Amino acid sequence: MPAGEGWWRTAVIYQVYVRSFADGNGDGIGDLAGVRSRLPYLKSLGVDALWFTPWYESPLADGGYDVQDYRRIDPRFGTLEEAEQLIAEALEHGIRTIVDIVPNHISDRHEWFQQALAAQPGSPERERFWFHPGRGEGGEEMPTNWVSSFQGETWTRTRNPDGTPGEWYLHLFTPQQPDLNWNHPDVRREHEDVLRFWFDRGVAGVRIDSAALPVKDPALPDLPVGTAPASGHPHIDRDELHDIYRDWRAVAEEYDGERVLVGEVWLDDAERFARYLRPGEMHTAFNFGFMTQPWSAQAMRDSITRTLAEHAPVGAPATWVLSNHDVTRPVTRYGQADSSFAFERKRFGTPTNAVRGARRARAASLLVAALPGSLYIYQGDELGLSEVELPLEAIEDPMHFRSGGVDPGRDGCRVPLPWAGAATPYGFGGTPWLPQPADWAALTVEAQDADPASTLNLYRAAIALRTQIADFAGGELEWLELGADVLAFRRGDGTVSITNLGAVPVPLPAHHEVLLSSAPLDGMLPPDSTAWLALRPVRDRAPRVAD
Ligand code: GLC
Ligand code: CA
């Protein structure tokens, strides 16, 4: 492991959506060979770690979040041996690896679920899941009224071997993702073994999928209408989850080099969120609060203040996330009249000002890179890619289908990356599994490499400065009051980040030097842009890549 105690406190972590990153064998599907061939690119970006969305054997009913076998790599992506090589080669470049663990559910093709289907009601094989008789006389009604995170039903009825309707099983997501029963010792033991399997192979951490969902109230109560029940929500944020993550932390502590737990925790309640980050539990969790804010100085400032305040009592660093494989790309989001993010509002054909969105996304990327904590970059954001509006026949995401076709789903941010050349597949490999837009030639890595003002070079410069300027290392920031539409703060005693979210240019505060800016400055800070200022000469400054 590269040196660095507490490396995860300030790390820049790049999310690789394997299927869409780079295709090494020309079949149109991204793979581990593709990632290995692009390690020099990731090194040039300056990231500290890679988080791989699930790369395990899977029918890909939900893009790999339906794991069939945690100890095998999906053959479309490569082999376990290649994963081991990739982990080792990344480390040679000083880059750590984080893998994705999905505790809430597994694939319906996982051997446990196949065994459960073949077994009788009440059998030990079914105990690992939530099989239950239906309600109503013939058991034809679902056992609970729970609502899926993907819309639609949360229970599917099985058939008995003689063809008659049987028990129902719970799935908070698709029917291909049966929920596991975390009260069962097999489920707990198996996941701890899976953690060790990957820690033994040198991974530096795990991202925990849907981390607030795995435990259910065994009484399976209905969701109440109106006030919350005293026993808590039947399947979100149950207290027993903390025992699981304390056990996982103990597993991580068996290893050297600080193996980290990063939770995907979507919770509105700040105090409940922070509980997952108490000493002895997870190291960090994704901060979705900031990601969902509109382009507004007040909203963003409030969110930053809230975030820092909710992390402080538990001593955990904040994380900053502009997007991931589930949400609309920032370039598109910030170009829309309502630039906040909510899953339920995604629609086809939402009017978007692409130029404004691109400007704002650049400004936002500098803003978050200046904040205290760790930083996540979703592949392609460093190229300024927009959300792609895909032809209907190309869409695979179950979120689209479960919405009755109203929600475009999440494939628009999962389109294979453009690396080089003037036309699709833009150096990705074979014909991409999702079609790329015709106008991506100027956004390829090749095109942006050559342009000092490109978004790629902006990211490189920001990451280099963030790593090398000591002011960025601490956990504090101090707000500067420079107007209602201006977000400005000082890091340490010598570095300022200033973002103009208003409609007119604003003057820059007194400074020694502009370190970096998301747009040309001309003496003033134009609308929709961010600048980093040094208040005095900086020693040991990173090489300047772009202005
Ligand atoms: C998480 C993942 C998402 C997946 C869901 C179910 O939210 O990020 O992609 O569909 O969990 O596993
Ligand atoms: Ca491939």
Side-chain angles (χ1 to χ4, degrees):
M1 294 274 157
E5 202 187 327
W7 65 271
W8 46 276
R9 290 187 167 270
T10 54
V12 179
I13 299 162
Y14 184 91
Q15 181 188 353
V16 179
Y17 195 81
V18 181
R19 201 177 177 188
S20 302
F21 184 73
D23 170 20
N25 66 351
D27 65 357
I29 301 170
D31 48 40
L32 302 191
V35 180
R36 287 171 68 195
S37 74
R38 299 294 180 178
L39 283 171
Y41 169 75
L42 295 164
K43 172 79 183 165
S44 85
L45 195 52
V47 300
D48 301 300
L50 305 175
W51 149 34
F52 290 93
T53 48
W55 56 16
Y56 320 106
E57 186 173 39
S58 164
L60 302 182
D62 181 22
Y65 285 93
D66 46 322
V67 178
Q68 185 171 337
D69 187 341
Y70 273 110
R71 295 173 182 82
R72 288 170 59 94
I73 298 293
D74 192 275
R76 283 161 286 194
F77 298 155
T79 62
L80 182 59
E81 197 186 1
E82 276 182 287
E84 290 168 351
Q85 283 165 345
L86 170 52
I87 294 165
E89 286 165 8
L91 272 182
E92 283 163 22
H93 286 87
I95 301 174
R96 292 172 161 89
T97 294
I98 293 174
V99 294
D100 216 317
I101 302 290
V102 190
N104 184 68
H105 45 265
I106 52 179
S107 164
D108 61 344
R109 303 251 288 267
H110 189 286
E111 61 172 350
W112 277 7
F113 195 70
Q114 290 299 318
Q115 290 162 3
L117 282 182
Q120 295 302 313
S123 61
E125 288 83 357
R126 289 201 171 185
E127 291 293 308
R128 293 170 175 152
F129 300 89
W130 292 100
F131 279 87
H132 209 267
R135 293 195 286 208
E137 243 168 65
E140 70 286 347
E141 285 171 40
M142 283 185 276
T144 69
N145 67 351
W146 299 358
V147 182
S148 171
S149 315
F150 278 178
Q151 302 191 51
E153 287 157 0
T154 51
W155 295 88
T156 291
R157 196 162 193 189
T158 59
R159 291 210 159 267
N160 295 320
D162 65 2
T164 56
E167 289 188 315
W168 298 71
Y169 68 90
L170 174 69
H171 51 86
L172 293 183
F173 295 90
T174 70
Q176 292 79 35
Q177 295 165 292
D179 280 44
L180 288 163
N181 173 7
W182 275 87
N183 300 324
H184 198 296
D186 284 0
V187 173
R188 296 195 179 218
R189 208 169 26 235
E190 165 64 3
H191 279 79
E192 289 179 19
D193 281 358
V194 166
L195 293 180
R196 290 198 180 89
F197 182 88
W198 288 102
F199 287 148
D200 285 340
R201 279 164 182 74
V203 308
V206 294
R207 178 250 186 202
I208 308 169
D209 184 74
S210 302
L213 300 183
V215 172
K216 277 84 192 178
D217 182 341
L220 300 182
D222 265 344
L223 277 174
V225 187
T227 51
S231 63
H233 191 286
H235 66 81
I236 300 177
D237 187 32
R238 296 197 55 86
D239 287 338
E240 300 87 333
L241 285 164
H242 297 283
D243 300 332
I244 297 171
Y245 300 130
R246 272 191 288 269
D247 288 348
W248 287 24
R249 179 64 177 254
V251 172
E253 300 288 338
E254 292 167 10
Y255 291 83
D256 61 4
E258 285 189 294
R259 314 298 172 101
V260 303
L261 311 180
V262 182
E264 188 205 17
V265 182
W266 289 87
L267 287 180
D268 290 335
D269 183 318
E271 191 272 329
R272 297 289 307 183
F273 172 87
R275 281 167 177 248
Y276 291 83
L277 304 176
R278 291 176 293 194
E281 299 194 34
M282 298 178 190
H283 294 74
T284 62
F286 294 108
N287 167 21
F288 296 120
F290 182 80
M291 183 186 77
T292 55
Q293 298 306 312
W295 187 252
S296 144
Q298 192 61 52
M300 286 182 160
R301 176 168 168 167
D302 289 350
S303 173
I304 294 167
T305 304
R306 254 196 326 268
T307 299
L308 297 176
E310 77 197 29
H311 285 75
V314 286
T319 63
W320 303 100
V321 184
L322 284 180
S323 77
N324 62 33
H325 64 293
D326 293 329
V327 307
T328 310
R329 292 259 189 204
V331 163
T332 301
R333 225 162 63 212
Y334 292 136
Q336 298 181 341
D338 181 350
S339 54
S340 65
F341 178 78
F343 282 104
E344 58 274 15
R345 280 206 311 272
K346 281 185 77 173
R347 289 294 175 269
F348 289 98
T350 308
T352 305
N353 180 330
V355 174
R356 178 189 289 159
R359 263 181 88 81
R360 289 180 173 176
R362 284 170 62 99
S365 64
L366 280 200
L367 163 63
V368 290
L371 290 167
S374 63
L375 177 67
Y376 283 82
I377 299 169
Y378 173 50
Q379 72 177 40
D381 276 0
E382 82 279 18
L383 303 177
L385 301 187
S386 54
E387 187 82 3
V388 178
E389 192 135 320
L390 291 161
L392 283 182
E393 63 277 10
I395 298 180
E396 291 192 10
D397 181 20
M399 254 185 141
H400 166 68
F401 299 103
R402 288 175 64 95
S403 75
V406 172
D407 179 337
R410 302 165 295 177
D411 287 337
C413 67
R414 299 172 176 179
V415 173
L417 295 191
W419 292 93
T424 193
Y426 299 109
F428 170 71
T431 305
W433 70 279
L434 287 173
Q436 298 164 311
D439 61 355
W440 270 8
L443 297 177
T444 64
V445 171
E446 179 185 51
Q448 298 203 38
D449 252 338
D451 174 5
S454 69
T455 298
L456 174 57
N457 282 321
L458 180 73
Y459 268 73
R460 286 174 172 153
I463 295 169
L465 284 168
R466 184 188 146 93
T467 312
Q468 291 178 25
I469 291 186
D471 281 335
F472 285 127
E476 309 286 318
L477 65 72
E478 190 184 331
W479 292 105
L480 306 177
E481 305 302 335
L482 298 176
D485 292 328
V486 179
L487 253 183
F489 52 86
R490 194 169 62 213
R491 297 294 314 280
D493 55 10
T495 308
V496 164
S497 173
I498 170 170
T499 305
N500 180 3
L501 294 97
V504 294
V506 297
L508 293 170
H511 58 276
H512 171 77
E513 182 191 4
V514 176
L515 293 167
L516 189 64
S517 65
S518 67
L521 290 187
D522 210 9
M524 303 277 277
L525 183 64
D528 301 330
S529 57
T530 296
W532 288 0
L533 310 173
L535 302 184
R536 60 178 137 279
V538 186
R539 276 168 288 145
D540 305 328
R541 205 189 57 200
R544 192 135 165 215
V545 185
D547 276 322

